[in-house]
Amino acid sequence: MNVLLAGVALFLLLNLSAGLARVARGPTPGDRMVAAQLFGTTGVAILLVLAQLMGVPALRDVALIFALLAVVVAVAFVKRGWVRAPGNESPSGEEP
């Protein structure tokens, strides 16, 4: 069982490196944000696998906190950082 969990952790680590490359390259802010969410989700999954593998229940708490922070970051990005595409204004011409 430990070998299987170690293999899963290694696979997730490789997935994490692919997500990091997408965060660095873009091409759009939306792509970067989705890759950052993947980065956060994969980090949480790695923590959960390591908590099971090493028998450290405190890592589950850390994973839960990271998952909650990822949601807050996503909402902050959408509220603050999302730029409307030209010609995609609301019908009334007002800002939402």
Side-chain angles (χ1 to χ4, degrees):
M1 184 66 162
N2 287 344
V3 174
L4 176 66
L5 289 175
V8 168
L10 182 63
F11 173 74
L12 289 171
L13 195 58
L14 292 173
N15 190 15
L16 196 68
S17 63
L20 185 60
R22 179 51 61 187
V23 168
R25 291 183 54 203
T28 66
D31 292 333
R32 289 185 172 131
M33 185 60 210
V34 169
Q37 284 297 109
L38 172 71
F39 193 71
T41 304
T42 305
V44 168
I46 288 173
L47 283 174
L48 290 173
V49 168
L50 288 178
Q52 185 68 29
L53 182 66
M54 296 177 2
V56 181
L59 285 177
R60 291 187 189 115
D61 296 335
V62 174
L64 179 63
I65 291 170
F66 279 178
L68 292 172
L69 285 175
V71 171
V72 170
V73 167
V75 170
F77 175 78
V78 169
K79 286 292 215 180
R80 190 102 167 114
W82 196 263
V83 178
R84 288 188 182 267
N88 196 14
E89 291 85 20
S90 61
S92 63
E94 298 175 358
E95 288 292 318

